Amino acid sequence: MDCIFCQIVSGKIPSDIIYQDEEVIAFRDIKPQAPVHLIIIPRRHVPSLAHLSEADSALVGRMVEVANQLAKGEGLSQNGYRLAINCGEEGGQLVPHLHLHLLGGRRLSDTLG
Ligand code: 5GP
Ligand code: ZN
């Protein structure tokens, strides 16, 4: 499997992992677009949002829960933050392993695309 994020999960590619449990891991984005830019992913290889089934609802909920906890830990709760998931080519997804971006620490763009 040559998926970059699967290789981060397995430890083959080093990353700044700041949280992990049996379902998800979170690490700092290598090219941060904000003072805080974290990536939250499922350990399991899911290519994109479009590949989720109804049975994955709890997994997505867990990713959001972890993101909220990390946002709190990064001191973002009061001023706010953004969670974003890009899906597919026109959605701006470059890494084909489902991931949630957590962005914060500055006033983010008023537009989403
Ligand atoms: P996408 O455009 O697919 O939604 O976002 C992919 C994100 O993964 C980008 O923000 C990019 O900087 C980040 N990224 C790509 N490769 C690596 C890597 O090897 N390590 C880390 N920590 N982040 C990566
Ligand atoms: Zn993967």
Side-chain angles (χ1 to χ4, degrees):
M1 176 69 84
D2 58 1
C3 169
I4 293 172
F5 286 176
C6 281
Q7 290 181 62
I8 285 178
V9 170
S10 71
K12 269 187 222 144
I13 292 181
S15 68
D16 193 357
I17 293 177
I18 53 167
Y19 174 84
Q20 52 183 320
D21 63 28
E22 60 288 343
E23 273 194 305
V24 309
I25 74 168
F27 49 89
R28 293 195 189 276
D29 197 290
I30 205 167
K31 236 176 104 186
Q33 295 181 42
V36 176
H37 187 172
L38 307 183
I39 300 283
I40 298 98
I41 66 171
R43 285 184 182 274
R44 173 163 64 93
H45 182 82
V46 178
S48 80
L49 276 180
H51 295 77
L52 288 170
S53 71
E54 212 177 328
D56 295 318
S57 299
L59 175 63
V60 178
R62 181 74 195 137
M63 289 167 68
V64 171
E65 171 62 19
V66 166
N68 283 337
Q69 290 299 330
L70 292 172
K72 201 173 174 186
E74 296 284 329
L76 302 178
S77 294
Q78 186 155 357
N79 287 345
Y81 53 95
R82 179 171 296 160
L83 300 184
I85 299 179
N86 297 326
C87 177
E89 194 182 341
E90 291 201 355
Q93 183 180 6
L94 294 176
V95 177
H97 180 130
L98 177 67
H99 52 282
L100 178 59
H101 295 262
L102 164 60
L103 296 147
R106 67 165 167 81
R107 172 90 203 181
L108 298 169
S109 153
D110 288 338
T111 64
L112 277 174

